[in-house]
Amino acid sequence: MFDHAYGSYMKYAYPADELMPLSCRGRVRGQEPNRGDIDDSLGKFSLTLIDTLDTLVVLNKLDEFEDAVRKAVKDVRLDNDVVVSVFETNIRVLGGLLGAHVMADLLHQRGDRMQWYRDELLHMAKELGHRLLPAFNTTSGLPYPKVNLRYGVQNPNSRTGTESDTCTACAGTMILEFAALSRMSGESVFEEHARKAMDVLWERRQRGSDLVGTVINIHNGEWVRRDSGVGAGIDSYYEYLMKAYILLGDNVFLERFNTHYSAIMKYISQPPLLLNVHMHNPTVSVRSWMDSLLAFFPGLQVLRGDLKPAIETHEMLYQVTKQIFFNPVVHWGQHLLRPEFAESTYYLYKATGDPYYLRVGQSIVEKLNAYARVPCGFAAVQDVRTGAHEDRMDSFFLAEMFKYLYLLFSEKSELPIDIDDYIFTTEAHLLPVSLSTTQPPCQEEDLFTHSCPSMETLFPNNPSFAKTIRDSYKYLTGVGRAFRPLPVRCVQSQRVFDFRVESAMEPRFNSCEHKGVYRVKLVAEVSQTPEEEEVVPHVVQLISPPFLGRTVLTAGPAKFGMDLSKQEHGVKGSIVKASPYTACGPIDNAAELKGCIALVLRGDCMFAAKARRLQEAGAIGVIFIDHREGSNSEETPLFQMVGDGDSTEDITLALVFLFSREGAVLTAALEEHHNVDVLLLPKEKQLGHEKPVGMNIKFRLAEEGELEEGPAGRPTLELVLEKEEVLLEEEELRGQRQSQQRQQFCTKATENDRTEPCSADSSQALNSGPDANP
């Protein structure tokens, strides 16, 4: 599988950043339609090659590794005039260069290959580190979310630096790579900046709950989004606290992690669920669904030594994968070949030795081959309901998925390195634990507080231990036999064919008496199914010159916001592109949007979150455009957008959804004509679309001369039949009538009111008499 994916990238895409597996070509930023923030991972630095380097070593492809390093050293440039995500560039490119340098240096020291290597990858890593440093030039010490590789942040040519917010994970997922770079290069500045960012996040935690929020202002350190969980936006901050202790040996990181972890287990973890709560009021759940990124958390719990909740959450996620192709990504039934579930499966197998987790891994392999494999690689699944693909193979698929799967099925003796000498970054790059500068003493009174958990000591190879825990959650999602509740918590399940794990957290009281009952169902932002309700097609109708209503684009409706079916003439307005295009951050062009209809790219945050921001900016409507290339209303079923699990009564503006192809027509019209007015309304109400008129018409034969004698100007409908046709019709009608009468039963009035069949005589009688002819 790896050979197919990596070989396809090298054959069809290199030196591009990514492979487009359906088009069999490389994705070059600026040459393909803009996908919004997703493209901020692409820096024209052969992303997939660099992200894959240390995977080649783990899979024992040492010749390919040496060849790939030569290519990276010769071809890759890091000074491109392109704006990239600081977070993604750090974990994928800087981490990839450092992990590859560690592997190249190891092979060089062994003396049998890489003898030409002179730390070239480390020099590249140091150059990249210096190009990322300008992002830390803020008053708080939290980094900007984006940086221009050539011009930095505040240079007039940088085209960035206006952002005010960043996610917690974005600021808190730098310490492993930056500290490793400092310790390998001797330049302490990298580690200092990463530590400062971690310190700010720690200081800004909510002291009452010890939780952090999801989005923070990089200038004043104030929280912008106060929802707290372990999924998207926060996930790797917690991961890097734990792993920074393992890598660097600094107790500060472990103490902070343990404080946060206690809060997580108190407020967020409700096995098998992991909730999102308000950081200031953690007893209040702020959303009722789980995103797929938190599938990494059971693996982190294994590192922590907390095996029971890790098994519980992992088992719940596995039950989800058995109903649909994979763990889908938050909001919609999409799967981007994400590796987090495979990562946790690997950790649980290493911790328990339970062959059950080998079977879980086998199911991942089989589903990838069945649903994602295409002739030119592996393609993300655009819609797990239909199996439709997206022209996308992210670099992390090669960096992480194959690494964890290969390690899951391999014995230590089969690997070219001792895997226990390394810690995995969040992108699964390998950094040596020998970088630690301090060795804390073992505290006998608390064996596991300051040491990595020992599989032999903490988790004896006892498969029945994990099985006992799993069995309580085996039928959680409603597949198979009825669920039998645990003694402590009852779980009531319902089967809904949708795609994100949702917990309706209001307690219910039934057979569980006074114990809280948690309903678990699978839901998605695309939650409507054809069997449940009909989607009413809407349209975006271009009404300004030169279109004048002739261009009509099929659109999907929303379950929240203005009910366009109750608006007699729809909603009319000029369209304006939102900035940022995804509307997942503060709106930069609010003045332009006021009183207009906003164009917004789907992705990165919920429909409802985008709508709220744009409503605050003064927009009267929003047209969401699908970011999945090539999607269109002819080939993809329309769906209704739904909210984010919270109340959406505050959202009152008009909302519709266009697939990519229809959206391209609209954006092209805006680029060409600048001022474009549209109508948003149900399809049946579009301008120029007249409903068929139904009417009843009575016919009678007119008497000869009647029409000529009638009132002048009276509306008439005259049907003229030639005499021969009339006679023919009469003959046919008479024959049909006689045939039908012969088949009927005649009712004879008798003393006993019996019904008897007609006799031959009575049949003949039907055709006799003076009125036989009509």
Side-chain angles (χ1 to χ4, degrees), residues 93-103 122 125 177 180-181 184 430-431:
V93 186
L94 183 58
L97 290 170
L98 291 172
H101 163 68
V102 170
M103 297 295 103
L122 179 58
E177 292 84 359
L181 179 58
M184 291 178 189
L430 300 170
L431 298 177

Side-chain angles (χ1 to χ4, degrees), residues 272-273 311-328 341 345 356-357 360 363-364 367 466-467 469-481 483 491 493-501 520-522:
L273 307 177
I311 293 172
E312 292 170 333
T313 299
H314 179 276
E315 180 61 23
M316 181 269 294
L317 294 172
Y318 182 47
Q319 296 303 321
V320 173
T321 69
K322 289 165 74 172
Q323 294 186 61
I324 54 180
F325 299 161
F326 308 96
N327 270 9
F341 183 65
T345 303
Y356 175 84
Y357 295 108
V360 174
S363 75
I364 298 172
K367 287 174 180 177
K467 183 177 186 299
I469 299 171
R470 281 197 308 270
D471 282 351
S472 299
Y473 297 93
K474 192 170 184 181
Y475 301 98
L476 182 64
T477 56
V479 175
R481 63 168 172 78
F483 176 80
V491 179
S493 66
Q494 62 178 351
R495 179 78 166 95
V496 180
F497 190 72
D498 294 314
F499 310 108
R500 93 186 159 224
V501 178
V520 178
K521 63 180 181 178
L522 308 178

